[in-house]
Amino acid sequence: FYLLVNVIFKQSQPAILLFLGSAIFPWKWFTTALANASESVRKQEAVMRQIAFPYIVLPFASTFASVANFAFSLVPLVALYAIYPDRLTPWALTIFPVAIVQLLWTIPAVITLSALSVFLRDIANFIPHILRIWFYLSPALFPLSTLREIGSRHPWFDFFVSANPFTWIFTGYRDALYEGKAPDWGPLGILALASIPAILLSIYFFRRVSPLFVKVL
């Protein structure tokens, strides 16, 4: 990614490694959670046939296991401050509320995907490609101002940028870790509230289809 941004696209940023890492590590958490979700139910077929238990604990367990992986990824992220010590401020601690917002959107994505993958087994082959497009259309490799500039010429693109949850999640991480300032709590608060119906709908969908899991598997 450093070569892609710095050399090929020539979009160099100050403290480029921290700039990239503040978005890439959270995104890795999200993609890992979705990758595990596609197998969280399917791989437990034997257990599901032997023991009666609420199947929804499987995607929840997968989700919170991914949180532990993200916690370990903070180690190399924090290590980057050894290269850019001037970027370290007390605002770095505000990544935890931002991470909670990301978790609130990871939960419904994991629950829904874990259920769909039981019936559509090939969906796991498409998810990486969808996520790759999503990543490149988010302010991960480039600042939000660059995407806004493109959006000024293409209104449909600007709408996508504004509606993309990771626009505000990445911006929150970057404000805290890279810019050394408070994240914009307004969009993050709206995202947190909007995640509640998304979580409830995903749980409702999962419970409606879960009685069919054993038959299909």
Side-chain angles (χ1 to χ4, degrees):
F1 288 123
Y2 171 82
L3 293 175
L4 179 67
V5 174
N6 219 37
V7 178
I8 297 175
F9 288 112
K10 296 181 180 179
Q11 296 286 331
S12 180
Q13 299 289 329
I16 184 65
L17 295 180
L18 185 60
F19 177 85
L20 296 174
S22 59
I24 291 174
F25 285 110
W27 182 254
K28 183 64 177 176
W29 167 23
F30 183 66
T31 56
T32 301
L34 292 192
N36 294 338
S38 63
E39 300 179 342
S40 62
V41 174
R42 287 191 308 174
K43 283 197 170 182
Q44 302 301 324
E45 177 186 358
V47 177
M48 292 165 64
R49 291 183 182 277
Q50 295 173 6
I51 305 173
F53 65 96
Y55 299 151
I56 200 165
V57 301
L58 297 173
F60 270 104
S62 174
T63 301
F64 287 101
S66 70
V67 175
N69 293 333
F70 176 63
F72 283 108
S73 75
L74 293 178
V75 175
L77 186 58
V78 171
L80 290 175
Y81 285 116
I83 305 175
Y84 313 112
D86 58 307
R87 294 281 173 172
L88 181 59
T89 70
W91 288 114
L93 295 175
T94 59
I95 67 164
F96 296 107
V98 180
I100 291 174
V101 175
Q102 180 175 342
L103 175 63
L104 290 175
W105 277 100
T106 302
I107 289 172
V110 167
I111 292 174
T112 303
L113 182 59
S114 65
L116 287 176
S117 63
V118 173
F119 304 96
L120 306 171
R121 301 207 172 195
D122 289 336
I123 197 171
N125 298 325
F126 293 99
I127 291 298
H129 302 293
I130 296 172
L131 290 175
R132 191 171 296 111
I133 296 172
W134 191 354
F135 176 74
Y136 286 120
L137 294 178
S138 303
L141 303 182
F142 309 102
L144 179 58
S145 58
T146 300
L147 299 186
R148 289 298 191 196
E149 184 179 347
I150 299 173
S152 65
R153 300 190 299 270
H154 306 283
W156 65 268
F157 184 80
D158 189 65
F159 172 80
F160 177 85
V161 170
S162 298
N164 180 4
F166 275 95
T167 293
W168 311 110
I169 292 172
F170 285 159
T171 301
Y173 282 118
R174 195 158 279 154
D175 285 343
L177 297 170
Y178 179 78
E179 300 289 352
K181 64 181 183 180
D184 189 347
W185 299 117
L188 291 172
I190 293 172
L191 278 180
L193 291 175
S195 70
I196 296 174
I199 292 172
L200 295 177
L201 284 173
S202 66
I203 293 174
Y204 173 78
F205 170 71
F206 189 96
R207 287 182 171 175
R208 285 296 301 269
V209 300
S210 60
L212 302 174
F213 287 167
V214 174
K215 296 180 181 179
V216 173
L217 292 172

